[in-house]
Amino acid sequence: MPETQATHVASGKVRELYALDDERLLLVASDRISTFDVVIPTDIPDKGRVLTGLSGFWFARTRQIVPNHLLALRDDGRSTECRRLEMLPLECVVRGYITGSGWKDYLATGEVCGHVLPKGLTESERLPQPLFTPSTKAQTGHDENITRDQAAELIGDRFEEVERTALDLYRFAAAHSESRGIILADTKFELGLDADGALVLADEAFTPDSSRFWPADRYSPGRAQRSFDKQYVRDYCESVGWDKTYPGPELPEEVVAETRAKYIEAFERLTGISFDEYVADPEVVLR
Ligand code: PZK
């Protein structure tokens, strides 16, 4: 059966969004990679499939915590048919470890998003408990961390439900990841509302593009941690003296191959499913 042509509705740095009809969207993950906020001109083959498969895996396993937007995975392995929602106007961030902008804010103020933290924390240290640290959705530039009061102003009465849902999702995914030797340091996701006003998990979930994954066997607080997926790209970019402004450098084939292997390793370790099986039948991650 031929389908009506999808119309393009939005572009992210490495993803595209199309409308299928009034109720359904198609989220397509490309093989583009970004680092230091710049999209690199060389693709990482299968990266979009890895991210789509991981999101599908997590959607299927977190349905008991919160329903999600996934309707189907297409046979190309990189396209998700999803329900069209009314998105909440904030990024849901949960941090189990103090790093990135959270570490910067802690050094400057001793707080992150209004959470007062113990004195003397070291970079990348595990937090006493995971924190909900929402941010604004910047159209251009960087998302900005906001306090619980600012978040409550944006989403109203739903703040406590959103915070509890976000923490429950993080705890579930962090425990699963830890059992597979991967630390889920922090993660960002988007929630929306369906036509009945119910909270729904949308976008991508617990992928390397939306989360910091650290290999547990090399974890050592007191410094920045190596990235599970992007470290070879970062190391190469540093080695050629790139100034981190557009355009980024082309990647040599061994950096592409090493990076592709890390994405596939992350997929296989987290899902327990062989990537070849996923490519043969993407919906294997939903079962
Ligand atoms: C939605 N984005 C971000 C993602 C882009 C932009 N289920 C949904 N319903 C309504 N809106 C969205 C979603 C989802 N997911 C997500 N913007 C709108 C985004 C990928 C590419 F260009």
Side-chain angles (χ1 to χ4, degrees), residues 10-12 15-17 25 27 69 83-85 87 202-203:
S11 291
R15 301 176 303 157
E16 305 295 334
L17 193 60
L25 299 173
L27 191 55
H69 74 164
R83 290 194 277 159
R84 195 194 280 252
L85 306 167
M87 302 303 288
D203 203 88

Side-chain angles (χ1 to χ4, degrees), residues 8-18 23-29 59 68-70 81-87 91 137 190 192-193 200-204:
H8 185 256
V9 295
S11 291
K13 277 209 294 268
V14 302
R15 301 176 303 157
E16 305 295 334
L17 193 60
Y18 301 87
E23 274 115 53
R24 296 180 308 149
L25 299 173
L26 189 69
L27 191 55
V28 182
F59 283 141
N68 59 68
H69 74 164
L70 185 145
E81 294 181 11
C82 50
R83 290 194 277 159
R84 195 194 280 252
L85 306 167
E86 187 185 320
M87 302 303 288
E91 301 280 354
K137 283 185 185 174
E190 294 203 33
L193 303 177
V200 180
L201 179 61
D203 203 88
E204 61 180 330

Side-chain angles (χ1 to χ4, degrees), residues 113-240:
C113 297
H115 299 277
V116 179
L117 297 181
K119 291 192 197 326
L121 292 178
T122 192
E123 185 173 12
S124 310
E125 192 170 344
R126 187 175 193 145
L127 290 164
Q129 58 202 11
L131 302 178
F132 180 56
T133 61
S135 60
T136 58
K137 283 185 185 174
Q139 290 310 311
T140 57
H142 275 117
D143 296 346
E144 228 178 281
N145 289 342
I146 55 176
T147 64
R148 335 165 42 77
D149 290 349
Q150 291 171 305
E153 248 164 70
L154 287 172
I155 59 174
D157 290 347
R158 288 187 179 274
F159 178 82
E160 289 197 2
E161 185 192 357
V162 166
E163 177 177 52
R164 185 177 357 104
T165 301
L167 289 170
D168 285 351
L169 286 167
Y170 172 83
R171 282 188 284 257
F172 176 87
H176 177 91
S177 301
E178 191 165 282
S179 78
R180 307 297 171 104
I182 294 174
I183 293 172
L184 177 61
D186 56 29
T187 192
K188 170 155 81 176
F189 40 75
E190 294 203 33
L191 295 170
L193 303 177
D194 69 13
D196 300 329
L199 213 54
V200 180
L201 179 61
D203 203 88
E204 61 180 330
F206 306 111
T207 68
D209 278 7
S210 64
S211 311
R212 283 191 180 89
F213 290 120
W214 295 337
D217 61 354
R218 304 189 63 173
Y219 173 62
S220 152
R223 56 159 170 84
Q225 305 301 295
R226 294 177 65 81
S227 162
F228 196 100
D229 47 300
K230 289 184 178 171
Q231 197 61 48
Y232 291 116
V233 174
R234 293 195 185 141
D235 289 350
Y236 177 75
C237 288
E238 306 265 18
S239 78
V240 296

Side-chain angles (χ1 to χ4, degrees), residues 7 38 46 61 86 97 106 109 137 147 171 177 182 197 204 222 234 261 265 269 278:
T7 60
V38 174
D46 294 318
R61 281 152 189 82
E86 187 185 320
Y97 293 73
Y106 171 73
T109 67
K137 283 185 185 174
T147 64
R171 282 188 284 257
S177 301
I182 294 174
E204 61 180 330
R234 293 195 185 141
E265 183 190 346
R269 271 169 76 169
Y278 174 73

